[in-house]
Structure formats: C-alpha cells, structure tokens
C-alpha cells in the first residue's frame, strides 16, 4: 500500500461511526403525515424522522433514513435490510414475538372520522352495515377485525393516503385511524370537510422503535431517547408538529 492510499484509509477510518463501522439504516413509511412523509422537495420528513435524526445525533452516529412500504417493515428489519424502524409503530404482543422495541417515544388513541356536520353514532349497534375503512396492518384495522368484523363492512388499504382518498370520493362512510395523524389531516383543504366522530379510545396505544431481537442498538436508542426527553430536544420537535404533548 502506498503512502497516499494509507492516508486515505486512515482518513476513512477516522470518520467511521462507532456502530460496527457502518451507518445505521432507519426505515420509515413516508406516507403517514405529519409523522413521516415525503415533502415537495422529495425529502423524507416528519415527527418520526426528526426524532430519528435527534437520536442519531445523541448517539454520535451517521444514520440513513430509508422509505419502506408498511407491510414490509418487520420482514425488512429481520432480514437486515435496515437496522431500526421509526415509523409510528405500535408496540403489540404480536410484534414483540418478532422484534424488540425501545421505550415509548409517543402514545395515542383511535378515533372514527366522517363527513362534517353529519350526526353519526359510532356505537357498535349504530355502526351495523356501514362501510368503514382503515390502513391494513395497523392498530385500527386490527381493532375492527377483532371487534367489528360482524358489524361493519371493512375496507382495508395499503396506506393512509388511499383511506383519505376513498373517504373524499364517498366510497367510505367512516374510517378509523390514529387520532394524531388524523388531527393533522383534518386541518388540510381536503380534510376540512370531515371531522372526528365520537371520543378517542384504545388510549393504551404506545409507539416505540423496533429493532431486531437481542440487538444492543435498543439500549443505545433508549439512552439517547432519555437524553432528548431531558434536554428539551423532544419538546421542541413535539411543538413543531402539535400544539399539545403527545408523549
């Protein structure tokens, strides 16, 4: 190896992050605003993305944010396509059988949405026969399949944007979704013709970062999360997207 090659190699090693010499790859869906979405400049943005970048900064690691379809999140993590999922993923018993989760980084609940100004009773008895949508493989879809499968006509979609589109076109009478991202959509031009129906429920919905089983990255992420909660970074990110605490 000549002198120039040696200098280049040492320079590269000097900039290598501590995590095994490679950058950490973090997956997000990119279709769940305001938590994760692709902006007009083609950049992935949102609360999840800002949290991921803040955690990487605290760990002093170089991270790459990659966009991945929701249904392929856990399979992609387990096959090492990426190292962590920061994509508003609820911690459930079923998922815990496949991956580990960090401590929560926010929590929320479920809520029905329907046309503004239309009085709709969302009690199970009153919902009978209605066409209700949700994003596939979410807490909302699981709730409906577990509790309302014999009551409503369930329509499931690959992403939340398609739920919104079918609601706007009149192909749905209601949809069920996480309250927090829906709150943001209701402020948009398309969302203003709709409103929440009934109160939020399933408030035990806790969101964490998924990593592979036994991966020490989990403890490092937890330490970084504790730091951004204590030093005000988390609160600054929270206030950028919501006028109330979502922790």
């Amino acid at each position: 190896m000549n002198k120039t090659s040696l200098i280049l190699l040492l320079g590269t090693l000097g900039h290598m992050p501590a995590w095994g010499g490679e950058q950490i790859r973090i997956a997000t869906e990119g279709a769940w605003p305001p938590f994760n979405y692709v902006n007009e400049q083609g950049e992935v943005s949102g609360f999840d993305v800002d949290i991921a970048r803040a955690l990487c900064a605290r760990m002093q690691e170089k991270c790459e944010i990659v966009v991945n379809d929701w249904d392929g999140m856990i399979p992609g993590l387990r096959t090492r396509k990426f190292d962590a999922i920061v994509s508003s993923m609820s911690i459930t018993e079923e998922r815990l059988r496949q991956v580990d989760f960090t401590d929560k980084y926010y929590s929320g609940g479920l809520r029905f949405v329907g046309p503004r100004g239309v009085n709709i009773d969302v009690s199970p008895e009153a919902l009978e026969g209605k066409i209700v949508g949700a994003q596939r493989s979410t807490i909302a879809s699981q709730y409906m399949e577990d509790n309302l499968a014999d009551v409503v006509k369930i329509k499931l979609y690959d992403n939340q944007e398609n739920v919104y589109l079918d609601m706007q076109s009149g192909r749905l009478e209601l949809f069920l979704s996480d309250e927090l991202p829906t709150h943001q959509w209701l402020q948009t031009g398309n969302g203003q013709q709709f409103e929440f129906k009934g109160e939020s429920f399933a408030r035990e919905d806790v969101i964490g970062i998924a990593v592979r089983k036994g991966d020490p990255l989990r403890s490092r992420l937890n330490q970084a999360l504790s730091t951004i909660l204590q030093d005000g970074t988390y609160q600054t990110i929270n206030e950028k997207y919501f006028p109330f605490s979502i922790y």
Side-chain angles (χ1 to χ4, degrees):
M1 180 181 293
N2 61 37
K3 182 177 180 181
T4 301
S5 297
L6 179 60
I7 291 171
L8 288 173
L9 176 59
L10 291 174
T12 301
L13 290 173
H15 288 86
M16 283 174 128
W19 184 254
E22 298 179 0
Q23 63 184 358
I24 300 172
R25 288 172 59 83
I26 297 177
T28 198
E29 184 186 15
W32 189 248
F35 290 94
N36 55 81
Y37 60 95
V38 178
N39 64 24
E40 293 178 355
Q41 290 73 44
E43 302 164 335
V44 63
S45 303
F47 178 86
D48 288 332
V49 177
D50 287 357
I51 290 293
R53 288 175 174 152
L55 295 176
C56 289
R58 292 301 178 275
M59 293 189 298
Q60 297 184 328
E61 294 288 4
K62 183 177 179 182
C63 295
E64 179 185 6
I65 309 294
V66 299
V67 174
N68 197 85
D69 288 342
W70 180 257
D71 287 347
M73 284 289 187
I74 289 180
L77 176 64
R78 298 182 71 188
T79 57
R80 298 181 177 274
K81 185 177 178 182
F82 31 80
D83 304 298
I85 300 169
V86 185
S87 193
S88 294
M89 183 170 282
S90 301
I91 302 173
T92 67
E93 290 299 324
E94 180 181 359
R95 289 171 180 155
L96 281 168
R97 288 194 284 270
Q98 303 178 72
V99 298
D100 285 341
F101 280 94
T102 63
D103 298 336
K104 76 164 185 176
Y105 69 97
Y106 80 87
S107 57
L110 300 177
R111 207 163 180 186
F112 286 101
V113 172
R116 180 177 292 278
V118 179
N119 186 23
I120 300 178
D121 184 348
V122 293
S123 63
E125 309 79 44
L127 286 174
E128 187 169 1
K130 291 191 180 299
I131 303 172
V132 186
Q135 183 177 352
R136 182 178 289 108
S137 301
T138 62
I139 294 296
S141 66
Q142 190 64 55
Y143 176 87
M144 289 207 296
E145 290 173 332
D146 290 346
N147 299 280
L148 299 174
D150 57 347
V151 177
V152 304
K153 297 176 182 177
I154 300 173
K155 290 191 69 174
L156 301 180
Y157 300 81
D158 290 338
N159 59 62
Q160 189 65 23
E161 185 61 31
N162 287 335
V163 178
Y164 296 152
L165 289 173
D166 262 16
M167 189 76 233
Q168 292 167 228
S169 67
R171 286 189 283 268
L172 293 174
E173 295 175 80
L174 292 165
F175 70 78
L176 182 64
S177 180
D178 292 81
E179 181 180 22
L180 296 175
T182 305
H183 164 82
Q184 184 81 1
W185 178 71
L186 291 174
Q187 315 307 311
T188 67
N190 290 329
Q192 287 179 3
Q193 57 188 311
F194 303 98
E195 63 185 358
F196 287 124
K197 303 297 182 182
E199 298 301 320
S200 64
F201 58 96
R203 298 295 302 179
E204 67 278 4
D205 185 20
V206 175
I207 311 301
I209 299 170
V211 298
R212 284 182 289 277
K213 283 286 189 183
D215 194 330
L217 178 58
R218 175 180 179 273
S219 63
R220 300 188 66 213
L221 286 166
N222 276 335
Q223 291 171 5
L225 179 57
S226 177
T227 299
I228 68 169
L229 282 164
Q230 293 173 23
D231 69 12
T233 302
Y234 182 96
Q235 288 79 358
T236 299
I237 296 171
N238 188 139
E239 290 169 6
K240 178 180 175 181
Y241 296 95
F242 299 99
F244 49 83
S245 175
I246 68 171
Y247 183 69

